[in-house]
Amino acid sequence: MQTNILKNLVLSAAVFVSVSSCTDKKAEKKLSEEVTITKTNLTNKPIVLQRADPFIYKHTDGYYYFTGSVPTYDAIELRRAKSIDQLQKAETFRVWEKHKSGPMSRHVWAPEIHYLDGKWYVYFAASEEDDIWRLRPYVLECKGQDPLHDKWIELGQMQAADADPKSFTDFSLDGTVFEHKNKRYFCWAEKTGGQFAASNLYLAEMESPIKLKTVQFMLTTPDYDWERVGFWVNEGPAVIKNKGKIYITFSASATGSCYSMGMMEADENADLLDRNSWKKSRYPVLKTNEAKKIYGPGHNSFTVDENGEPLLIYHARDYEKAVGDPKVVPATDKRPLKEIIADPLYDPNRHARMLQVKFDENGTPIFKFN
């Protein structure tokens, strides 16, 4: 299996700037500029504006590949840069656009880019123009090795295992892929009972990049009060490993300032498809911080900085009360203006941000704003 972002989190990453001694002033100046290019500046400020559900994958070519939900929810865009700080100004490439009708014609959400078995894949969720909450997970495959310029093709909806009649039959989204102990897993959110049911996280082993091998296992359901504000939600899983443990972070509650992050943990040698292997955080591991003007942090991913140190990539707003923007709402949305303004999903100002992951004496990840 090809190395992906999750293995980068537990292996040291190479530093891609070569520093050599030089007496020529021009060479010294150029070298200084190269070092600056690859240095990650840790602040609470956005790294990419108006990109919710941010996902960053650091490839073996030294580039950081970035994607996220565009405010209009109608396309998938990619960009790349040698440093995270360069992503905001990096050229964007629209590699896929929604259909006019039918599957994949509305609510294009939470794309992730992965490099699996020598190929590029994008996993995302989308619904239908005539049934906007019929969200399902879909897969794209790049036909070349340059994901920004080469052709992408649709592989269709993510497929359940042959013995699984339940997975992806209801409101399903936020799929992510990770590898552990020579097995590949798919983790996703799904509501069993329609839009207003509880959103649970499920986990299964993968047979191929587009099909599950095992029947779904429910990893977590909204148990606590902080997971049930507005909606009962567990979604947006992401994986990090450290000191013999595997951790899956997730996001909870509605998408306003109540949005927060929780975490599951298991021993690295445990059966990941056994409920008894997992322990859940009693309280959020990251939540709104009014003093720092960070509201509704969540839907994170993980990557590493230029020294191989783990970073948490997440989205958040700068203010508490989200306001829907009619300019990003599709023309087919005929709701009254009042309803659109009250809809936090159409407030485009969930910006991508980052923070450095620390660990306590037991090796458990700690997430603190800069």
Side-chain angles (χ1 to χ4, degrees), residues 318-362:
D318 297 326
Y319 46 86
E320 181 176 8
K321 187 171 178 56
V323 179
D325 184 349
K327 294 192 296 295
V328 300
V329 176
T332 53
D333 191 331
K334 302 301 182 182
R335 289 179 297 168
L337 179 60
K338 184 178 180 180
E339 289 186 21
I340 292 174
I341 291 174
D343 188 347
L345 279 175
Y346 283 102
D347 182 326
N349 294 316
R350 289 182 290 175
H351 306 312
R353 307 164 194 263
M354 67 178 169
L355 59 81
Q356 189 168 34
V357 179
K358 302 292 186 180
F359 299 95
D360 67 14
E361 63 276 9
N362 298 316

Short mmCIF file of all heavy atoms in Angstrom, two decimals, residues 318-362:
data_model
loop_
_atom_site.label_atom_id
_atom_site.label_comp_id
_atom_site.label_asym_id
_atom_site.label_seq_id
_atom_site.Cartn_x
_atom_site.Cartn_y
_atom_site.Cartn_z
N ASP A 318 -14.87 33.58 12.71
CA ASP A 318 -14.32 34.63 13.59
C ASP A 318 -15.38 35.24 14.48
O ASP A 318 -15.08 36.12 15.28
CB ASP A 318 -13.71 35.76 12.75
CG ASP A 318 -12.53 35.29 11.92
OD1 ASP A 318 -11.79 34.40 12.39
OD2 ASP A 318 -12.33 35.81 10.81
N TYR A 319 -16.62 34.81 14.33
CA TYR A 319 -17.72 35.43 15.07
C TYR A 319 -18.73 34.35 15.45
O TYR A 319 -18.75 33.25 14.90
CB TYR A 319 -18.40 36.52 14.23
CG TYR A 319 -18.69 36.11 12.80
CD1 TYR A 319 -19.86 35.44 12.47
CD2 TYR A 319 -17.78 36.39 11.78
CE1 TYR A 319 -20.13 35.07 11.16
CE2 TYR A 319 -18.03 36.02 10.48
CZ TYR A 319 -19.20 35.35 10.17
OH TYR A 319 -19.46 34.97 8.87
N GLU A 320 -19.59 34.69 16.40
CA GLU A 320 -20.47 33.69 16.98
C GLU A 320 -21.69 33.38 16.13
O GLU A 320 -22.00 32.21 15.88
CB GLU A 320 -20.94 34.16 18.37
CG GLU A 320 -21.85 33.16 19.06
CD GLU A 320 -22.23 33.59 20.47
OE1 GLU A 320 -21.90 34.74 20.85
OE2 GLU A 320 -22.87 32.79 21.17
N LYS A 321 -22.39 34.39 15.67
CA LYS A 321 -23.66 34.16 14.99
C LYS A 321 -23.46 34.07 13.48
O LYS A 321 -23.14 35.05 12.81
CB LYS A 321 -24.66 35.28 15.31
CG LYS A 321 -26.05 35.00 14.76
CD LYS A 321 -27.07 36.01 15.27
CE LYS A 321 -28.44 35.76 14.68
NZ LYS A 321 -28.95 34.40 14.93
N ALA A 322 -23.66 32.88 12.95
CA ALA A 322 -23.51 32.67 11.51
C ALA A 322 -24.69 33.30 10.77
O ALA A 322 -25.83 33.26 11.23
CB ALA A 322 -23.43 31.19 11.21
N VAL A 323 -24.39 33.87 9.60
CA VAL A 323 -25.41 34.51 8.78
C VAL A 323 -25.30 33.98 7.36
O VAL A 323 -24.26 34.11 6.71
CB VAL A 323 -25.25 36.04 8.78
CG1 VAL A 323 -26.30 36.68 7.89
CG2 VAL A 323 -25.33 36.59 10.20
N GLY A 324 -26.36 33.37 6.86
CA GLY A 324 -26.36 32.86 5.50
C GLY A 324 -26.23 33.97 4.47
O GLY A 324 -26.81 35.05 4.62
N ASP A 325 -25.46 33.72 3.43
CA ASP A 325 -25.22 34.70 2.38
C ASP A 325 -25.98 34.27 1.12
O ASP A 325 -25.65 33.25 0.51
CB ASP A 325 -23.72 34.79 2.08
CG ASP A 325 -23.38 35.87 1.06
OD1 ASP A 325 -24.31 36.41 0.43
OD2 ASP A 325 -22.18 36.16 0.90
N PRO A 326 -26.99 35.03 0.70
CA PRO A 326 -27.78 34.64 -0.48
C PRO A 326 -26.93 34.47 -1.75
O PRO A 326 -27.33 33.74 -2.65
CB PRO A 326 -28.77 35.80 -0.64
CG PRO A 326 -28.87 36.40 0.72
CD PRO A 326 -27.50 36.26 1.33
N LYS A 327 -25.77 35.10 -1.81
CA LYS A 327 -24.94 35.03 -3.02
C LYS A 327 -24.37 33.63 -3.25
O LYS A 327 -24.00 33.30 -4.39
CB LYS A 327 -23.80 36.05 -2.94
CG LYS A 327 -24.26 37.51 -2.97
CD LYS A 327 -23.09 38.45 -3.19
CE LYS A 327 -22.08 38.43 -2.06
NZ LYS A 327 -22.64 38.92 -0.79
N VAL A 328 -24.27 32.82 -2.22
CA VAL A 328 -23.70 31.49 -2.40
C VAL A 328 -24.77 30.40 -2.45
O VAL A 328 -24.47 29.22 -2.57
CB VAL A 328 -22.67 31.16 -1.30
CG1 VAL A 328 -21.53 32.15 -1.31
CG2 VAL A 328 -23.32 31.12 0.08
N VAL A 329 -26.02 30.81 -2.38
CA VAL A 329 -27.13 29.86 -2.41
C VAL A 329 -27.53 29.60 -3.87
O VAL A 329 -27.66 30.55 -4.65
CB VAL A 329 -28.34 30.41 -1.61
CG1 VAL A 329 -29.53 29.48 -1.73
CG2 VAL A 329 -27.96 30.60 -0.15
N PRO A 330 -27.71 28.36 -4.27
CA PRO A 330 -28.09 28.08 -5.67
C PRO A 330 -29.44 28.69 -6.02
O PRO A 330 -30.32 28.84 -5.17
CB PRO A 330 -28.13 26.55 -5.73
CG PRO A 330 -28.27 26.10 -4.32
CD PRO A 330 -27.58 27.12 -3.48
N ALA A 331 -29.59 29.02 -7.29
CA ALA A 331 -30.83 29.66 -7.76
C ALA A 331 -32.04 28.77 -7.57
O ALA A 331 -33.17 29.26 -7.47
CB ALA A 331 -30.67 30.04 -9.24
N THR A 332 -31.81 27.48 -7.49
CA THR A 332 -32.93 26.55 -7.32
C THR A 332 -33.44 26.51 -5.88
O THR A 332 -34.49 25.91 -5.62
CB THR A 332 -32.49 25.13 -7.72
OG1 THR A 332 -31.29 24.79 -7.01
CG2 THR A 332 -32.23 25.05 -9.22
N ASP A 333 -32.73 27.15 -4.97
CA ASP A 333 -33.18 27.21 -3.57
C ASP A 333 -34.21 28.33 -3.45
O ASP A 333 -33.88 29.51 -3.52
CB ASP A 333 -31.99 27.48 -2.66
CG ASP A 333 -32.32 27.30 -1.18
OD1 ASP A 333 -33.49 27.52 -0.80
OD2 ASP A 333 -31.42 26.94 -0.40
N LYS A 334 -35.45 27.97 -3.30
CA LYS A 334 -36.55 28.93 -3.30
C LYS A 334 -37.02 29.31 -1.90
O LYS A 334 -38.10 29.87 -1.74
CB LYS A 334 -37.73 28.37 -4.10
CG LYS A 334 -37.38 28.01 -5.54
CD LYS A 334 -36.86 29.21 -6.33
CE LYS A 334 -36.58 28.84 -7.78
NZ LYS A 334 -36.02 29.99 -8.55
N ARG A 335 -36.22 29.04 -0.89
CA ARG A 335 -36.62 29.39 0.47
C ARG A 335 -36.72 30.90 0.63
O ARG A 335 -36.00 31.67 -0.05
CB ARG A 335 -35.62 28.85 1.48
CG ARG A 335 -35.64 27.34 1.66
CD ARG A 335 -34.58 26.92 2.67
NE ARG A 335 -33.23 27.24 2.20
CZ ARG A 335 -32.14 27.18 2.97
NH1 ARG A 335 -32.26 26.83 4.24
NH2 ARG A 335 -30.96 27.46 2.46
N PRO A 336 -37.54 31.37 1.54
CA PRO A 336 -37.59 32.81 1.84
C PRO A 336 -36.22 33.30 2.30
O PRO A 336 -35.45 32.55 2.91
CB PRO A 336 -38.62 32.91 2.97
CG PRO A 336 -39.45 31.68 2.86
CD PRO A 336 -38.53 30.61 2.34
N LEU A 337 -35.94 34.57 2.01
CA LEU A 337 -34.65 35.15 2.37
C LEU A 337 -34.37 35.01 3.86
O LEU A 337 -33.23 34.75 4.27
CB LEU A 337 -34.64 36.63 1.96
CG LEU A 337 -33.36 37.40 2.28
CD1 LEU A 337 -32.16 36.79 1.56
CD2 LEU A 337 -33.52 38.87 1.89
N LYS A 338 -35.38 35.13 4.67
CA LYS A 338 -35.21 35.02 6.11
C LYS A 338 -34.64 33.66 6.51
O LYS A 338 -33.77 33.57 7.39
CB LYS A 338 -36.55 35.27 6.82
CG LYS A 338 -36.47 35.26 8.33
CD LYS A 338 -37.83 35.56 8.94
CE LYS A 338 -37.76 35.55 10.47
NZ LYS A 338 -39.10 35.84 11.07
N GLU A 339 -35.11 32.62 5.86
CA GLU A 339 -34.62 31.27 6.16
C GLU A 339 -33.18 31.09 5.70
O GLU A 339 -32.38 30.44 6.38
CB GLU A 339 -35.51 30.22 5.50
CG GLU A 339 -36.89 30.09 6.14
CD GLU A 339 -37.67 28.94 5.53
OE1 GLU A 339 -37.04 28.03 4.95
OE2 GLU A 339 -38.91 28.96 5.63
N ILE A 340 -32.84 31.64 4.56
CA ILE A 340 -31.48 31.54 4.05
C ILE A 340 -30.50 32.25 4.98
O ILE A 340 -29.43 31.71 5.31
CB ILE A 340 -31.39 32.10 2.63
CG1 ILE A 340 -32.16 31.20 1.66
CG2 ILE A 340 -29.93 32.26 2.18
CD1 ILE A 340 -32.27 31.74 0.26
N ILE A 341 -30.86 33.44 5.42
CA ILE A 341 -29.99 34.20 6.32
C ILE A 341 -29.78 33.46 7.65
O ILE A 341 -28.71 33.54 8.26
CB ILE A 341 -30.57 35.60 6.55
CG1 ILE A 341 -30.48 36.42 5.25
CG2 ILE A 341 -29.87 36.32 7.68
CD1 ILE A 341 -31.16 37.77 5.34
N ALA A 342 -30.78 32.72 8.06
CA ALA A 342 -30.70 32.00 9.33
C ALA A 342 -29.99 30.65 9.20
O ALA A 342 -29.78 29.97 10.21
CB ALA A 342 -32.10 31.78 9.90
N ASP A 343 -29.57 30.27 8.00
CA ASP A 343 -28.97 28.96 7.76
C ASP A 343 -27.45 29.06 7.84
O ASP A 343 -26.80 29.61 6.95
CB ASP A 343 -29.38 28.46 6.37
CG ASP A 343 -28.96 27.02 6.14
OD1 ASP A 343 -28.15 26.50 6.92
OD2 ASP A 343 -29.46 26.42 5.16
N PRO A 344 -26.82 28.50 8.89
CA PRO A 344 -25.37 28.61 9.04
C PRO A 344 -24.59 27.88 7.94
O PRO A 344 -23.43 28.21 7.68
CB PRO A 344 -25.10 27.98 10.41
CG PRO A 344 -26.26 27.09 10.67
CD PRO A 344 -27.43 27.77 10.02
N LEU A 345 -25.21 26.92 7.27
CA LEU A 345 -24.52 26.22 6.19
C LEU A 345 -24.13 27.15 5.05
O LEU A 345 -23.16 26.89 4.32
CB LEU A 345 -25.40 25.10 5.64
CG LEU A 345 -25.44 23.79 6.42
CD1 LEU A 345 -26.46 22.85 5.81
CD2 LEU A 345 -24.06 23.15 6.44
N TYR A 346 -24.88 28.25 4.90
CA TYR A 346 -24.59 29.18 3.81
C TYR A 346 -23.90 30.45 4.28
O TYR A 346 -23.86 31.44 3.56
CB TYR A 346 -25.86 29.48 3.02
CG TYR A 346 -26.22 28.33 2.10
CD1 TYR A 346 -27.22 27.43 2.41
CD2 TYR A 346 -25.49 28.12 0.93
CE1 TYR A 346 -27.51 26.36 1.58
CE2 TYR A 346 -25.77 27.05 0.09
CZ TYR A 346 -26.78 26.18 0.42
OH TYR A 346 -27.04 25.12 -0.40
N ASP A 347 -23.34 30.41 5.47
CA ASP A 347 -22.39 31.43 5.88
C ASP A 347 -21.02 30.95 5.39
O ASP A 347 -20.51 29.93 5.86
CB ASP A 347 -22.37 31.58 7.40
CG ASP A 347 -21.42 32.67 7.88
OD1 ASP A 347 -20.36 32.86 7.24
OD2 ASP A 347 -21.73 33.33 8.88
N PRO A 348 -20.41 31.65 4.42
CA PRO A 348 -19.20 31.12 3.78
C PRO A 348 -17.92 31.29 4.59
O PRO A 348 -16.85 30.85 4.14
CB PRO A 348 -19.11 31.96 2.50
CG PRO A 348 -19.72 33.27 2.88
CD PRO A 348 -20.85 32.93 3.84
N ASN A 349 -18.01 31.88 5.78
CA ASN A 349 -16.79 32.28 6.49
C ASN A 349 -16.28 31.28 7.52
O ASN A 349 -15.74 31.65 8.56
CB ASN A 349 -17.01 33.64 7.14
CG ASN A 349 -17.20 34.72 6.10
OD1 ASN A 349 -16.47 34.77 5.11
ND2 ASN A 349 -18.20 35.57 6.30
N ARG A 350 -16.44 30.00 7.20
CA ARG A 350 -15.70 28.99 7.94
C ARG A 350 -14.34 28.86 7.25
O ARG A 350 -14.23 28.33 6.15
CB ARG A 350 -16.45 27.65 7.95
CG ARG A 350 -17.70 27.67 8.81
CD ARG A 350 -18.38 26.32 8.83
NE ARG A 350 -18.99 26.01 7.54
CZ ARG A 350 -19.57 24.85 7.25
NH1 ARG A 350 -19.59 23.88 8.15
NH2 ARG A 350 -20.12 24.65 6.07
N HIS A 351 -13.31 29.38 7.90
CA HIS A 351 -11.98 29.43 7.30
C HIS A 351 -11.12 28.27 7.80
O HIS A 351 -11.23 27.85 8.95
CB HIS A 351 -11.28 30.74 7.66
CG HIS A 351 -12.06 31.97 7.31
ND1 HIS A 351 -12.67 32.16 6.09
CD2 HIS A 351 -12.36 33.08 8.05
CE1 HIS A 351 -13.28 33.33 6.07
NE2 HIS A 351 -13.12 33.91 7.25
N ALA A 352 -10.25 27.77 6.92
CA ALA A 352 -9.31 26.72 7.31
C ALA A 352 -8.20 27.31 8.17
O ALA A 352 -7.65 28.38 7.86
CB ALA A 352 -8.72 26.07 6.07
N ARG A 353 -7.88 26.63 9.25
CA ARG A 353 -6.85 27.08 10.20
C ARG A 353 -6.03 25.87 10.64
O ARG A 353 -6.34 24.73 10.28
CB ARG A 353 -7.50 27.74 11.42
CG ARG A 353 -8.49 28.85 11.09
CD ARG A 353 -9.36 29.18 12.29
NE ARG A 353 -10.51 29.99 11.92
CZ ARG A 353 -10.57 31.32 12.03
NH1 ARG A 353 -9.56 31.99 12.53
NH2 ARG A 353 -11.66 31.98 11.66
N MET A 354 -4.99 26.12 11.43
CA MET A 354 -4.18 25.01 11.92
C MET A 354 -3.66 25.29 13.32
O MET A 354 -3.58 26.43 13.77
CB MET A 354 -3.00 24.74 10.98
CG MET A 354 -1.96 25.83 10.93
SD MET A 354 -0.60 25.39 9.83
CE MET A 354 0.27 26.99 9.75
N LEU A 355 -3.33 24.21 14.01
CA LEU A 355 -2.65 24.30 15.29
C LEU A 355 -1.73 23.10 15.43
O LEU A 355 -1.93 22.06 14.80
CB LEU A 355 -3.64 24.39 16.46
CG LEU A 355 -4.66 23.27 16.69
CD1 LEU A 355 -4.04 22.09 17.44
CD2 LEU A 355 -5.85 23.81 17.48
N GLN A 356 -0.70 23.26 16.24
CA GLN A 356 0.25 22.17 16.44
C GLN A 356 -0.30 21.19 17.47
O GLN A 356 -0.84 21.58 18.49
CB GLN A 356 1.60 22.70 16.90
CG GLN A 356 2.69 21.63 16.91
CD GLN A 356 4.08 22.22 17.09
OE1 GLN A 356 4.25 23.21 17.79
NE2 GLN A 356 5.08 21.60 16.47
N VAL A 357 -0.17 19.91 17.16
CA VAL A 357 -0.64 18.87 18.08
C VAL A 357 0.44 18.63 19.13
O VAL A 357 1.60 18.37 18.81
CB VAL A 357 -0.94 17.57 17.33
CG1 VAL A 357 -1.41 16.49 18.31
CG2 VAL A 357 -1.98 17.80 16.24
N LYS A 358 0.05 18.71 20.39
CA LYS A 358 0.94 18.36 21.50
C LYS A 358 0.47 17.03 22.09
O LYS A 358 -0.62 16.55 21.80
CB LYS A 358 0.90 19.45 22.57
CG LYS A 358 1.28 20.85 22.08
CD LYS A 358 2.75 20.93 21.71
CE LYS A 358 3.15 22.37 21.37
NZ LYS A 358 4.58 22.47 21.01
N PHE A 359 1.29 16.45 22.96
CA PHE A 359 0.93 15.19 23.59
C PHE A 359 1.22 15.26 25.09
O PHE A 359 2.21 15.87 25.51
CB PHE A 359 1.73 14.04 22.98
CG PHE A 359 1.48 13.85 21.51
CD1 PHE A 359 2.33 14.44 20.57
CD2 PHE A 359 0.41 13.12 21.06
CE1 PHE A 359 2.12 14.28 19.21
CE2 PHE A 359 0.17 12.95 19.70
CZ PHE A 359 1.03 13.52 18.77
N ASP A 360 0.33 14.66 25.89
CA ASP A 360 0.57 14.65 27.33
C ASP A 360 1.53 13.52 27.69
O ASP A 360 2.07 12.82 26.82
CB ASP A 360 -0.75 14.56 28.10
CG ASP A 360 -1.47 13.23 27.92
OD1 ASP A 360 -0.86 12.26 27.41
OD2 ASP A 360 -2.67 13.16 28.28
N GLU A 361 1.74 13.30 29.01
CA GLU A 361 2.72 12.32 29.45
C GLU A 361 2.34 10.89 29.04
O GLU A 361 3.20 9.99 28.99
CB GLU A 361 2.90 12.39 30.97
CG GLU A 361 1.65 12.06 31.78
CD GLU A 361 0.71 13.25 31.94
OE1 GLU A 361 0.95 14.30 31.29
OE2 GLU A 361 -0.24 13.15 32.74
N ASN A 362 1.07 10.67 28.73
CA ASN A 362 0.62 9.35 28.30
C ASN A 362 0.61 9.20 26.78
O ASN A 362 0.25 8.14 26.28
CB ASN A 362 -0.78 9.08 28.84
CG ASN A 362 -0.83 9.06 30.36
OD1 ASN A 362 0.04 8.48 31.01
ND2 ASN A 362 -1.83 9.72 30.92
#
